[in-house]
Amino acid sequence: MNRRATLLLLTDGRFPSGHHAHSGGVEVAVRRGTLRTLEDLGRFLVGRVHTTGRVEAAFAAAVVQRSRDGEVPWLELDVEASARMPSPAQRETSRRLGRQLVRTARRVWASPLLEAAAE
């Protein structure tokens, strides 16, 4: 399978770990009436990139850096990431989606890093 097809598979909404599963709060913003137009959506998404996006990028970078240095301290990073998610429901959803994505990725790519993440 080529690289583009693999990435599309991992993000397909029909796939169990497809990234449709978590909207980042769009539905809540629509229900509250704070997101009504495409311009509102644009501002919402820019806000997500500058807040949540930066935090998630920092954790991804930490995993990449630590994996180059040897074993990744998954539990330590999980504790740090959890401290930045105030909602227990959000933490559980994040972990469930992460487990689904790791399970899928392990079937697509052979990687000691993915095996360690699964443990």
Side-chain angles (χ1 to χ4, degrees):
M1 182 179 308
N2 71 40
R3 185 179 177 138
R4 180 174 289 181
T6 301
L7 291 175
L8 289 172
L9 176 66
L10 291 175
T11 59
D12 187 333
R14 296 165 294 177
F15 205 64
S17 61
H19 277 37
H20 75 291
H22 188 19
S23 70
V26 169
E27 289 92 349
V28 173
V30 168
R31 279 195 304 268
R32 290 182 179 165
T34 57
L35 200 161
R36 297 178 188 184
T37 66
L38 284 177
E39 290 78 20
D40 293 342
L41 179 60
R43 285 191 296 275
F44 179 89
L45 294 175
V46 167
R48 292 282 297 173
V49 166
H50 287 287
T51 56
T52 305
R54 285 185 179 183
V55 171
E56 291 180 4
F59 278 94
V63 168
V64 169
Q65 183 60 48
R66 301 268 183 100
S67 68
R68 288 181 182 151
D69 297 339
E71 192 171 322
V72 178
W74 294 109
L75 293 177
E76 176 187 325
L77 291 171
D78 182 60
V79 167
E80 292 294 329
S82 293
R84 287 155 179 82
M85 286 186 237
S87 164
Q90 183 184 17
R91 285 191 298 272
E92 179 52 37
T93 298
S94 175
R95 285 188 179 108
R96 185 174 61 250
L97 292 174
R99 284 189 302 269
Q100 290 172 347
L101 187 58
V102 167
R103 184 171 46 246
T104 300
R106 286 173 64 206
R107 291 179 186 219
V108 176
W109 297 289
S111 165
L113 189 61
L114 290 170
E115 293 304 318
E119 289 176 16

